[in-house]
Amino acid sequence: MKRSFIAMAAALACAGAAHAQSSVQLTGLVDAYAGSMRMAGDASGKGVVGSGGMTTSWWGMKGQEDLGGGLKVDFQLTVFMRVDTGSPGRFDGDPYFSRDANVGLSGGFGTVRLGRGMAPNFLPTILTNPFGDSFTISPLVLHANVGTTAWGSANLTTPSDTGWSNQVVYTTPKFGGLQANVHYQFGEKGGDSGKKNIGVNAMYFGGPLSLVAFYERAQISNPVSLAVMPTKTDWMLGGTYNFEVAKLYATYGQAKVKDLDRKNSTYSLGLDVPVTSAGTIKAALARTKAEIGAVDSTRTTASLGYDHYLSKRTDVYTVLMHDRITDLKSGTSLIAGIRHRF
C-alpha cells in the first residue's frame, strides 16, 4: 500500500511538472559583409564593411511556459545590432528592443500578443523574394523599406516600418495551410486619440505553392517618434511555386497617400535555383513607379547572387546588384559575406 501511494504521488508530481514546463533560450543571428556599394544617384561608390547583408543581425531571449489545458504563454525580447560597429539598433536612435518586445497567450483560439513586433507587411514581403529579409540587396525589401538620397522615404511602399510598437496582434489557428494575423496599434496620444495603425495579413502554404497578402492603413510613424502622419494605405499580393529544379517568386502591390495625391506601384519577380546540395543561385528584380500628381518616376533594382551553406547554421554569400532611377546615373554594388545563426 505504501509503495502504491508513493508511486501515485510521484506520477502526480510528474504530471504537474509537465503542465508547468518552461524554457528560456538565448538566440540570434550574426551577418557581416564587405564590398562596394553604390545606389542610383550616388556620386560614387564606396568600400564598406557592413552588417546584415542577407539578414539584419540580432540577438535576444525568448521563452515559453506550458500552462496546461492547451494554454501556453511566451515572450520575446530581441535586439537588432550592427556587427560592423558593435552598435545596437538598425540605426542611431532605434529602440533597444526594436525587433521584438512582447508577450503572448496561445491556445485553441489562436494567439493574442501584446507589445512591439512585426508589422503586417513584414512576413509577406520576406517570404515572396529569394533574398528574404535582406535590407541591403533584396530589390523588393529595398523598394518597400529603404530610402536613399535619390529615392526618398516618401517613395517607399511600406507606410510605417516593418515593426509596430504598442500593438495587439491576434493570430488565428491554422485552417489547413491558411493562417491570418490581425494587427492594431494604439496611438497613445490624447489629442490624436483617433489616430492608429491597423492591418491584416494572410498566408497559405500547400505543398509547392505558397500565397500571401497584406493590407495596412497607417497614421502613426514607427519605430521612434510615433508621430501622427498623413494616412497611408498599402497592400500586396504575392506567391511562390517550388518546381524542385527552381523556385519562382512574384508580387504586386500599391501604396497611396490620398491627401498628397501620391501613389506608388511595385511588382517583383524572383528565382531560386539549387545548383549543389548546399548552394543556390538567386536572382530578383523589383520595379516601382512613383506618381505624385501628374509627375512620375521609376526605380528598377536587380540582384544576382550565390548562397552556399557550410552547415545548417552557417552560410556564405556573394551578390551583385544594379540600381536605376529615372534621369539619374545608375549604381552597381558587389558584396560578399557570412551569416551565422545561434
Side-chain angles (χ1 to χ4, degrees):
M1 176 70 72
K2 186 176 180 180
R3 289 181 179 178
S4 298
F5 178 79
I6 293 173
M8 183 174 67
L12 289 173
C14 289
H19 285 303
Q21 285 182 356
S22 62
S23 64
V24 176
Q25 179 184 2
L26 176 65
T27 183
L29 180 149
V30 180
D31 183 329
Y33 68 91
S36 175
M37 297 292 298
R38 183 179 183 178
M39 309 306 291
D42 289 351
S44 61
K46 58 181 179 182
V48 298
V49 171
S51 179
M54 288 286 275
T55 302
T56 306
S57 299
W58 63 276
W59 73 278
M61 295 177 292
K62 63 180 182 179
Q64 184 181 85
E65 182 181 11
D66 188 338
L67 302 175
L71 289 177
K72 293 181 180 180
V73 64
D74 69 86
F75 76 91
Q76 299 177 89
L77 294 171
T78 56
V79 184
F80 286 120
M81 61 180 175
R82 287 163 282 176
V83 177
D84 52 330
T85 64
S87 303
R90 297 163 292 178
F91 49 83
D92 292 340
D94 203 14
Y96 189 75
F97 289 112
S98 53
R99 187 176 186 270
D100 290 294
N102 56 66
V103 60
L105 183 68
S106 62
F109 57 86
T111 302
V112 176
R113 191 172 300 281
L114 304 176
R116 178 168 174 82
M118 294 180 289
N121 66 78
F122 183 67
L123 281 177
T125 300
I126 69 171
L127 292 173
T128 49
N129 82 89
F131 291 97
D133 51 345
S134 171
F135 284 67
T136 303
I137 44 79
S138 167
L140 179 61
V141 174
L142 290 174
H143 285 219
N145 303 293
V146 184
T148 67
T149 302
W151 192 258
S153 58
N155 287 326
L156 303 179
T157 53
T158 294
S160 185
D161 198 25
T162 56
W164 289 358
S165 302
N166 306 327
Q167 70 170 326
V168 179
V169 182
Y170 169 65
T171 302
T172 68
K174 290 184 178 180
F175 302 99
L178 179 65
Q179 190 169 44
N181 298 282
V182 180
H183 298 245
Y184 187 103
Q185 180 184 6
F186 292 83
E188 295 193 353
K189 297 190 178 184
D192 302 304
S193 57
K195 303 297 183 180
K196 57 188 176 294
N197 289 351
I198 58 174
V200 61
N201 63 37
M203 291 163 282
Y204 170 79
F205 302 96
L209 175 68
S210 68
L211 300 171
V212 303
F214 75 80
Y215 170 83
E216 296 176 334
R217 182 178 182 270
Q219 298 174 312
I220 305 165
S221 67
N222 281 283
V224 181
S225 66
L226 301 180
V228 173
M229 65 182 199
T231 301
K232 186 174 184 178
T233 60
D234 71 324
W235 60 267
M236 188 190 80
L237 302 173
T240 71
Y241 195 91
N242 193 342
F243 291 94
E244 299 298 336
V245 294
K247 186 174 182 179
L248 303 182
Y249 304 76
T251 71
Y252 179 77
Q254 290 186 351
K256 293 183 179 180
V257 185
K258 185 176 180 181
D259 293 345
L260 302 179
D261 194 19
R262 176 185 289 275
K263 182 175 81 170
N264 298 336
S265 303
T266 300
Y267 73 81
S268 74
L269 299 171
L271 182 67
D272 206 335
V273 182
V275 290
T276 69
S277 60
T280 63
I281 292 175
K282 300 176 179 290
L285 178 144
R287 186 176 189 271
T288 297
K289 183 178 181 181
E291 302 173 75
I292 308 173
V295 179
D296 64 78
S297 60
T298 300
R299 182 184 185 188
T300 304
T301 308
S303 294
L304 176 65
Y306 176 69
D307 186 21
H308 187 86
Y309 276 79
L310 303 175
S311 70
K312 289 183 177 180
R313 296 190 298 168
T314 304
D315 59 314
V316 292
Y317 57 86
T318 183
V319 182
L320 176 68
M321 181 176 72
H322 186 71
D323 190 37
R324 188 178 69 213
I325 298 175
T326 303
D327 298 329
L328 294 176
K329 193 168 184 178
S330 61
T332 299
S333 303
L334 178 63
I335 66 169
I338 183 170
R339 175 172 54 174
H340 175 73
R341 304 154 185 82
F342 61 90

